[in-house]
Amino acid sequence: MSQVLMSRPATHVASELTESCDRCGFPAKLTVALAVGGALAFCGHHGNRYSAMILDVADSVVIETGFVWRGTTAA
């Protein structure tokens, strides 16, 4: 069995996001570019709730300035 190393998605900070959460419609605190194509936006609540899944499928993540996302501290 061979080991596969998974890299974390690239994380960037933006001063302001204009999107709305794709789950509930609240203002987005992070946007996710998916590794398979497409993008999603999440409010703070849903971004933190789904942080583990986001890390699994994201190519890159953009976080609004001041938002503390659990995905940046996940080991």
Side-chain angles (χ1 to χ4, degrees):
M1 177 188 222
S2 64
Q3 291 182 326
V4 177
L5 298 175
M6 301 295 289
S7 63
R8 298 179 66 78
T11 303
H12 308 281
V13 178
S15 59
E16 183 179 17
L17 297 176
T18 58
E19 294 88 349
S20 296
C21 179
D22 290 320
R23 184 83 170 133
C24 69
F26 272 58
K29 295 296 180 185
L30 71 146
T31 58
V32 180
L34 301 172
V36 297
L40 294 170
F42 294 97
C43 66
H45 167 77
H46 287 116
N48 280 327
R49 181 174 182 179
Y50 299 118
S51 62
M53 286 185 257
I54 290 169
L55 289 171
D56 286 342
V57 301
D59 184 47
S60 65
V61 177
V62 177
I63 302 169
E64 189 173 85
T65 300
F67 174 61
V68 178
W69 182 48
R70 288 183 189 150
T72 58
T73 58

